[in-house]
Amino acid sequence: MDSRSLETRYDAGRIADRVAALAEKLDREFRSQSPVLVAVLKGSSFLLADLARKMTVPLSCEFINVSRQEGSDEILQIDFATGFPIAGRPVVLLKDVVNSGVIETYLLTQLAA
């Protein structure tokens, strides 16, 4: 790929500033709680790492993988990296791109159960 055809939309500084602002917001919201950051693999793993480094409240980090049918929002399987307890704890679900919201809605329903 010719690098001249690439356009920078958000530079590293702008992304770091936004992550820091989000971390501050979550710290305020969960100041007396211990949230679980759950990243949907693979796209949000770097966001989880950057956010976790900036947050000051005690937290846990977990990963899940969603397999879906090619070209469809039909969910075939959810793999949890570990069996993690979330009962009574706030969960922050991190995902790279939200298209229709079907996967996110399904995941939130499963995590709530």
Side-chain angles (χ1 to χ4, degrees):
M1 177 182 278
D2 184 356
S3 64
R4 292 175 289 181
S5 66
L6 297 177
E7 176 186 339
T8 300
R9 292 259 172 145
Y10 304 104
D11 64 26
R14 185 171 177 190
I15 293 169
D17 290 346
R18 183 64 187 115
V19 170
L22 180 57
E24 288 176 18
K25 180 180 179 180
L26 293 172
D27 278 341
R28 282 192 308 274
E29 187 171 338
F30 302 124
R31 69 179 165 269
S32 61
Q33 300 171 316
S34 180
V36 180
L37 303 182
V38 179
V40 179
L41 292 172
K42 300 178 184 175
S44 60
S45 57
F46 290 103
L47 173 60
L48 180 137
D50 290 345
L51 192 58
R53 279 192 289 266
K54 291 287 184 185
M55 291 180 68
T56 60
V57 297
L59 57 85
S60 299
C61 298
E62 297 294 343
F63 297 93
I64 59 176
N65 190 38
V66 178
S67 301
R68 59 186 175 94
Q69 187 170 345
E70 188 70 29
S72 165
D73 280 335
E74 183 179 344
I75 297 166
L76 300 176
Q77 184 173 333
I78 296 176
D79 297 313
F80 293 87
T82 60
F84 52 93
I86 60 171
R89 295 179 67 190
V91 174
V92 178
L93 183 62
L94 304 170
K95 188 165 182 300
D96 56 352
V97 177
V98 177
N99 290 319
S100 65
V102 171
I103 291 173
E104 295 78 8
T105 301
Y106 180 80
L107 285 173
L108 291 173
T109 301
Q110 293 302 308
L111 290 169

